[in-house]
Amino acid sequence: MNNKKTHRLCQMKSDAEDIKALFTAADRQLRIDEERREQTLALLQQEARSRAGRPLSDKLLLSGSLLRYTDRHLPCLHLLGCIAMLLALLTMGLYFPTAQDAGVMVFASMTLPCFLVFFSVFEFRQICFTGMGELSKTCFFHVRQLAALSMIFSGILNLMAVSAAIILVGRQWKIRLLHLGLYVLVPFLFMQCVCFGCMLLEKIRRHTWLCAAFLLPTAVFSLAAFQSPALYTESALFFWTAALFAGIAIFAGEMKLLFAKLDKGEILCTDWN
């Protein structure tokens, strides 16, 4: 056994030396401009000296720098999407103002927030699938940090928009906010779990449109719930609450697996670069 292990180590060392020799031979063929190399070295040394006194341990400075270098286009579109969703509910309120129309508004408030999930997915894709995954750990801010910031920001936007929708519909149509919150958050979390679950599967995450296709069964689920008065009774609140906590647990597990795949490079390098 020891002989086999020694032979394997020697073979690995020999292979490493062969690879190093190939790189050395390739480097000799590269033409290097000595003057530009000296200029680049001087610039790097000057930049290193200028940054030597910066308090890199300052968390506020780190957070500010992270926000500064994060792409703002998709978050701005996400914000516009949240505003559009609330405006759509306000517009529907003009056409369905009576108490008899409360069921229609419940159905709308269960379905429209699901569209916001796509903004979160696209923001995550934009950061993780840029073709530079293998370099992420060599940068000051790597992909995991940017993805975490994107998820936090999109989560805050979604929660604010969904909360505003719940308060708007609940107060205008005299629906208890606790009940309406459960009715809205369960399909919203279901859509979150489905879309980010697709990101965990290699064959599915290559096709963005598949995530959009899952909006149809969500709408069908909301419509079926809307057509079943038994689901809106006091006794059914237990099942809505259980579904909500189950969705939270599933979504948390998906996020843990997704970030683990980012760390391993399975998504960043293998699938997309």
Side-chain angles (χ1 to χ4, degrees), residues 200-226:
L200 293 171
L201 304 175
E202 179 179 348
K203 293 183 179 180
I204 296 181
R205 65 170 168 259
R206 295 177 182 272
H207 307 287
T208 308
W209 60 269
L210 283 176
C211 292
F214 283 107
L215 184 63
L216 180 60
T218 303
V220 172
F221 166 79
S222 300
L223 182 60
F226 169 65

Side-chain angles (χ1 to χ4, degrees), residues 58-70 141 149:
D58 190 339
K59 294 183 178 180
L60 291 177
L61 179 60
L62 290 174
S63 302
S65 300
L66 185 58
L67 291 172
R68 177 183 177 187
Y69 292 109
T70 301
F141 296 117
L149 177 65

Side-chain angles (χ1 to χ4, degrees), residues 88-110:
L89 288 176
L90 286 172
T91 304
M92 291 185 67
L94 300 177
Y95 292 94
F96 303 98
T98 64
Q100 290 75 16
D101 299 322
V104 177
M105 295 308 301
V106 169
F107 171 70
S109 61
M110 291 172 68

Side-chain angles (χ1 to χ4, degrees), residues 11-152:
Q11 184 65 34
M12 292 175 59
K13 184 177 180 180
S14 176
D15 293 341
E17 291 177 353
D18 292 341
I19 295 174
K20 183 177 179 181
L22 290 175
F23 275 102
T24 303
D27 289 341
R28 293 196 189 99
Q29 299 177 8
L30 297 176
R31 298 180 60 184
I32 299 176
D33 189 330
E34 296 295 337
E35 182 178 355
R36 293 189 65 181
R37 184 170 69 173
E38 294 296 330
Q39 292 175 355
T40 303
L41 178 60
L43 287 174
L44 289 174
Q45 291 174 344
Q46 180 180 356
E47 184 67 17
R49 286 193 297 268
S50 66
R51 295 190 178 192
R54 293 185 182 181
L56 296 179
S57 59
D58 190 339
K59 294 183 178 180
L60 291 177
L61 179 60
L62 290 174
S63 302
S65 300
L66 185 58
L67 291 172
R68 177 183 177 187
Y69 292 109
T70 301
D71 180 49
R72 300 177 183 85
H73 294 89
L74 282 178
C76 290
L77 290 176
H78 192 167
L79 179 60
L80 292 177
C82 295
I83 296 173
M85 186 266 293
L86 294 175
L87 289 177
L89 288 176
L90 286 172
T91 304
M92 291 185 67
L94 300 177
Y95 292 94
F96 303 98
T98 64
Q100 290 75 16
D101 299 322
V104 177
M105 295 308 301
V106 169
F107 171 70
S109 61
M110 291 172 68
T111 306
L112 290 179
C114 293
F115 285 95
L116 301 180
V117 177
F118 297 121
F119 291 102
S120 301
V121 173
F122 291 145
E123 289 170 29
F124 194 87
R125 287 174 57 89
Q126 181 69 16
I127 290 174
C128 298
F129 308 143
T130 55
M132 296 294 288
E134 62 268 25
L135 299 178
S136 65
K137 289 301 182 69
T138 67
C139 303
F140 190 75
F141 296 117
H142 52 74
V143 170
R144 180 185 175 90
Q145 291 173 317
L146 296 174
L149 177 65
S150 172
M151 292 303 299
I152 292 172

